[in-house]
Amino acid sequence: MENLILILHSDDIGPALQIAAPLDSYRVVTFDPTLLDRIRHAGLARAELIAWPDAPSFNDMDRAAHRQATAFEQRLDPLIARLAPGLSIAGWQHYNLYFLFMTLGWNQAIWPAMAAHFSHCKLHVLVCDTPLAYYFNSFLPSAMLLDYCRQHGVELAPFTYPPKEAPQRQVPALSEIRPAGERHLLLTHLPTCMYDIGYFNAELAASGKQVVNLKGRYFNMPVVAHETIETASQDALLGLLPPAWQAALPELQSLLTAEIDAMLQAYPLLPHFRRRQAEHVAQVYCDQLVTQALLERHFQHSKPERLLLADHDTDFHGPLLAFAQRHQLPVLYVPHSKTTSDIFFDYGNLLCLTHPIQGDVILRPDGRRAAQASLAFPEQLQFATAPRKPLARVGILLQAVSLNGIYATDLPAYIAGLRQMVAWCREHQLEFTLRCKPAYFLISMLEQELGLERDMLMSAVQIPMSDYAVSCDLCLMYDAPTSAELEFLNRGIPLLNPVVKDMSNVEAMVADPDIIPRASVAQTLRTATTLLRDPVALDHFRRRQFTAYLSAYRDAQPLRAFLDGPAGGGRPG
């Protein structure tokens, strides 16, 4: 019987090598196009990509996951009221639950659809021994595969391995009570802002505020603050809570676990894994309640003037916004990567600050427009009024097509669109280059599907994005937009956005279609043909695009203006 090693996550590669070492023969398969290069580079050179041709629509799954996350928390709210009457946990784990339901929905659908590939083989299933948290590796995909295979008589060889980092019950180390009379306090929480932390730090310094920075569970950036609050074990701080809370939390966690476990029974999960996932989600809620109580205790005598939060939640947003709402403190919401998608918290005194390239408006959970303003990110803009040379080199800029195996686009249509663009470049004798997102390589797939040279594909990834942009006369930013668009816009390099599907909410936020035209591949190539044949049209398009981009900055203001703004959190006049 053939040995089939299935790799679902990059963390599976090391264990897969261990499994393969003593085997005389085996096949290695992945369904994720972004994993193939990593697997082969690690030494499993015969690895194959088997794409799922009829995968469900990402947009449909995206909308469903958001709906399910909202309904999930609504069902749990009455249990929370037993401990904290009047407190709602709406939005507290929405981001986490969104990934939970995306993972459950995808894996519930893929295993029956791809089962034929497991017949007449011994299937080696790699299981990361940890529940799902956000988009991190977990046992969920493998556990759902195991459940399906055991019901359908597939011979299994599970291999369990430990996670790189197990979830920890960490809360802010708010062990002290602040003295009365403190002024100009600014409470910050800025995980994941790796590209703009330098700018944020400069603006914080210029504001003259006393910055108290709350570190997160994950993705911490070096925020320059007067005081940094680390995280600590929940157990170490539990004794600071009121005795009634200490007594009630274990029972609440048990009730939450039972309710969550019941809700997850709709999915094909072995009971042991389902219970562990339910326990994890319940523990996070209890840790969040502890965090909210610690915030109230720590700031009981001196409240911050406002809160400055990055939009990337790492479990603390719910308690922070509940604290802000209780005391009517204004909240400023900055993007972790230029633009922000819809918010999950229904708090009216929250202002979203985004890059001027922001696409669609940001919506609140009730569907109303969130308060929003443009932030004057410190871009260096360059534009030469002299006409550029005719088009000679086209850059095709690619975004990630999957995350943890979940396809973010219609893969067959995506490849067909790439073929169209490559054929167009060849037809018009244009030099062209494709650049993958460095963390999500598609080199092997592009080699196989498009017949492109590996050296060309690798060279595009190995140079800085700024150098790549300068090397192009026209950029075709393919399908989902990426913040790398700014490298082209800042230099007046023409940019078009050919797409193969409607953009999801989070994708549409990344680029303003009034600045970067978004259209089908066919329509985009018709536009590109006009720009190619008519240098005057090319120069006109370039000027209009650059001036539209520049105009988007018209009302943008630096972060310090909002930090010194009116107490109500509204936009400075």
Side-chain angles (χ1 to χ4, degrees), residues 199 203 354-356 374-379 553 555-559 562:
Y199 168 63
E203 292 298 291
T354 69
H355 193 285
S374 291
L375 201 57
F377 283 87
E379 308 288 1
Y553 269 87
D555 297 322
Q557 298 191 63
L559 179 58
F562 298 97

Side-chain angles (χ1 to χ4, degrees), residues 391-394 424-432 532:
L391 290 183
R393 193 168 196 266
V394 175
W424 179 84
C425 291
R426 287 173 172 160
E427 176 189 352
H428 295 285
Q429 298 182 328
L430 294 169
E431 184 183 356
F432 66 92
L532 171 66

Side-chain angles (χ1 to χ4, degrees), residues 2 30 44 53 81 95 105 109 118 141 186 188 204 220 229 235 310 318 327 333 406 460 463 516 521 541:
E2 180 182 47
T30 183
L44 297 168
Y95 191 51
F118 309 143
L186 175 66
T188 64
L204 290 174
N220 285 299
I229 307 297
D235 292 338
H327 301 286
Y333 220 50
I406 299 175
I463 63 173
I516 305 173
V521 174
F541 175 83

Side-chain angles (χ1 to χ4, degrees), residues 134 216 235 267 280 319 380 403 426 450 463 473 482 522 547:
Y134 297 101
D235 292 338
Y267 296 92
H280 170 73
Q380 296 293 318
L403 178 64
R426 287 173 172 160
L450 304 178
I463 63 173
D473 300 318
T482 164
T547 53

Side-chain angles (χ1 to χ4, degrees), residues 32 60 108 113 151 195 236 516:
D32 186 347
D60 290 345
Q108 187 175 34
Q151 290 185 37
Y195 300 111
I516 305 173

Side-chain angles (χ1 to χ4, degrees), residues 100 103-104 111 125-133 137-150 156-163 257 260-282:
L100 173 63
T103 301
L104 291 170
W111 303 131
V125 179
L126 298 146
V127 184
C128 180
D129 194 21
T130 191
L132 181 73
N137 194 14
S138 77
F139 55 60
L140 271 189
S142 301
M144 296 180 77
L145 173 59
L146 290 173
D147 183 83
Y148 178 85
C149 289
R150 286 177 178 172
L156 290 167
F159 183 100
T160 301
Y161 65 91
T257 298
I260 295 165
D261 183 80
M263 287 190 278
L264 294 182
Q265 288 182 21
Y267 296 92
L269 265 175
L270 296 170
H272 166 68
F273 290 113
R274 187 183 67 236
R275 182 74 178 183
R276 286 182 62 191
Q277 186 63 52
E279 286 173 349
H280 170 73
V281 176

